[in-house]
Amino acid sequence: MSAHSTYSQLTVYQEEPLNAGTPLEPLRRAFLTPQDLFFVRTHGSRPVVDQEAYRLVVNGMVQQQMEFSLTDLLTQFAQHTVTATLVCAGSRRNELAAVRPLSGKVLWGPDPISTAKWRGVRLYDILQAAGIEAEAQYVAFCGLDEAHEEGKHVSFGSSVRLEKALSPEVLLVYEMNDAPLAPEHGFPLRALIPGYVGARSVKWLQTITLQSQPSTNYFQDRDYKIFPPDITEETVDWTQGKTLEEVALNSVICTPHDGETRKAGPINVQGYAISGEGVPIERIELSTNQGATWLPAAITEKTDLWAWCFWEATLNLPSGDCQITVRAWDASGKTQPERVQPLWNFKGYANNAWHQIRLHLS
Ligand SMILES: Nc1nc2c(c(=O)[nH]1)N[C@H]1C(S)=C(S)[C@@H](COP(=O)(O)O)O[C@H]1N2
Ligand SMILES: [Mo]
């Protein structure tokens, strides 16, 4: 039996390390994604952590280096919940790869995305307890897992600017949807950086380090950066990339799925939309004529700023072939780019072009 048999409902792109997306139909069925349907993105080994022996270390530019057991965290600090969506920066990479090939990458569809109600303690409270020194500008996270990159063993790490780290939505979480974190999702503790690409939310969190510079960990310094379309693996100057932080405004059609055949007439179209910058989604629009005209969809479910919203619309479609396109607008008047071609980048990140499906109506 496969070690990951509990994830049999997922679309498995890679077994070891496990990389698996959530099929769009069950994804759109529940606003909070059940743990066994929650996408999994891993770069290295999955560490097995003994909860009793586990200690979180806080060090670097702090007045006092500290260590916490899980019980310490639960008893010494107030607990908070946030409903937040995690999305991998590589979501919709398959559309970028269709423009120009991307080598050695997991070719995700719009499926490395899920939402949970997370419970944990505020990073703010932990950092206050340790005492933040004046020179500290970044908070670096390091996990217990080990990946293999550029011929070396490296741990998985990230960093965020101190200002974001101190925001009230940033938690160290031990529960998702009222259950302990599953091993794949970072048991016993992970960072949760709502609104940022999933890569910043380090699982199996081992150390938190306050420092004056961003993390030099491979996954912060080289991976998860975005470069202009003319830059390739061969020509790249790693210092020139833009560090991925906030998730780009995006919307996706979940049902019907691409290539389906349906009976002509009223068709219910459903999907999700996400805005990462703490700006609410204002409007979702659908087009059946490549964007010449648009019809509004109804936003049917949303909670706080950090989670996706669900939308739906019923379109009356005549027989024949048809394409349905979706785009979202946020409250600041921002919308998604039309075409995927100009978004190509050799790492395959941040595709938020209009999402489109083809349907055949019989
Ligand atoms: N320690 C560690 N944390 C990690 C990763 C990892 O490989 N190791 N993957 C990151 C990436 S790229 C994403 S998108 C999210 C995915 O979280 P999930 O697997 O719980 O869905 O975890 C992030 N945290
Ligand atoms: Mo990711």
Side-chain angles (χ1 to χ4, degrees), residues 18 33 43 86 97 131 136 138 140 143 165 171 178 183 193 195 198 230 250 252 268 271 324 340 349-350 356 358:
L18 181 61
T33 317
H43 293 81
L86 271 189
Y138 292 86
L171 302 183
D178 300 315
I193 319 291
D230 56 317
N250 217 331
V252 161
N268 185 245
I324 306 176
V340 65
Y349 293 136
Q356 204 162 63
R358 290 156 304 151

Side-chain angles (χ1 to χ4, degrees), residues 24-350:
L24 297 182
E25 203 173 281
L27 183 74
R28 180 55 179 75
R29 225 175 282 142
F31 191 81
L32 298 180
T33 317
Q35 272 213 50
D36 55 1
L37 272 171
F38 204 101
F39 84 99
V40 179
R41 173 70 173 119
T42 24
H43 293 81
S45 60
R46 171 165 67 71
V48 178
V49 185
D50 171 12
Q51 186 175 320
E52 292 303 310
Y54 173 78
R55 296 291 179 275
L56 171 72
V57 176
V58 182
N59 60 21
M61 293 173 163
V62 288
Q63 270 138 30
Q64 194 186 351
Q65 173 162 334
M66 298 192 85
E67 259 189 50
F68 299 99
S69 68
L70 207 62
T71 311
D72 294 337
L73 292 176
L74 282 160
T75 54
Q76 294 173 16
F77 299 95
Q79 300 183 40
H80 297 271
T81 56
V82 62
T83 297
T85 299
L86 271 189
V87 56
C88 185
S91 184
R92 303 182 60 192
R93 181 180 280 146
N94 60 345
E95 298 164 55
L96 294 168
V99 173
R100 249 200 283 167
L102 292 164
S103 64
K105 294 276 175 191
V106 180
L107 295 184
W108 301 102
D111 56 350
I113 182 167
S114 296
T115 298
K117 188 182 86 187
W118 309 87
R119 188 167 183 78
V121 294
R122 283 203 173 126
L123 180 56
Y124 177 93
D125 291 341
I126 308 295
L127 297 181
Q128 287 303 321
I132 304 168
E133 297 208 315
E135 316 81 77
Q137 307 249 348
Y138 292 86
V139 178
F141 306 100
C142 193
L144 287 159
D145 50 336
E146 211 173 64
H148 200 71
E149 296 291 340
E150 300 179 333
K152 280 186 281 211
H153 288 289
V154 290
S155 51
F156 188 94
S158 76
S159 58
V160 298
R161 287 172 290 110
L162 184 62
E163 188 196 359
K164 175 69 177 180
L166 296 177
S167 299
E169 72 277 9
V170 174
L171 302 183
L172 307 180
V173 298
Y174 37 79
E175 270 181 27
M176 55 197 288
N177 299 337
D178 300 315
L181 290 179
E184 280 75 7
H185 298 298
F187 177 87
L189 191 74
R190 81 179 296 168
L192 180 75
I193 319 291
Y196 275 27
V197 294
R200 308 306 175 213
S201 293
V202 173
K203 306 192 270 192
W204 313 291
L205 185 61
Q206 179 179 36
T207 50
I208 298 177
T209 307
L210 271 78
Q211 47 196 63
S212 60
Q213 299 292 324
S215 169
T216 55
N217 180 279
Y218 171 84
F219 294 98
Q220 180 74 33
D221 196 42
R222 298 210 165 192
D223 226 11
Y224 295 103
K225 279 189 172 173
I226 192 159
F227 294 88
D230 56 317
I231 304 297
T232 65
E233 192 97 51
E234 288 72 43
T235 62
V236 65
D237 168 359
W238 296 105
T239 62
Q240 295 301 304
K242 185 182 166 294
T243 296
L244 288 168
E245 294 181 330
E246 277 136 348
V247 168
L249 179 68
N250 217 331
S251 57
V252 161
I253 298 167
C254 296
T255 62
H257 52 76
D258 188 35
E260 226 178 291
T261 299
R262 292 281 188 97
K263 264 209 159 59
I267 304 282
N268 185 245
V269 184
Q270 300 189 346
Y272 68 74
I274 171 125
S275 112
E277 297 174 36
V279 182
I281 302 251
E282 182 125 303
R283 203 158 83 237
I284 307 290
E285 295 175 326
L286 297 174
S287 175
T288 51
N289 52 18
Q290 312 291 339
T293 56
W294 297 87
L295 295 160
I299 294 173
T300 53
E301 266 183 280
K302 64 175 174 184
T303 53
D304 53 35
L305 279 178
W306 310 110
W308 58 15
C309 67
F310 278 3
W311 56 263
E312 70 176 292
T314 299
L315 302 178
N316 213 345
L317 300 175
S319 57
D321 289 330
C322 140
Q323 291 191 350
I324 306 176
T325 309
V326 65
R327 71 177 181 192
W329 295 80
D330 74 14
S332 75
K334 202 185 269 179
T335 190
Q336 297 172 233
E338 173 176 350
R339 294 168 56 237
V340 65
Q341 283 80 358
L343 302 180
W344 191 92
N345 61 97
F346 82 96
K347 289 271 187 182
Y349 293 136

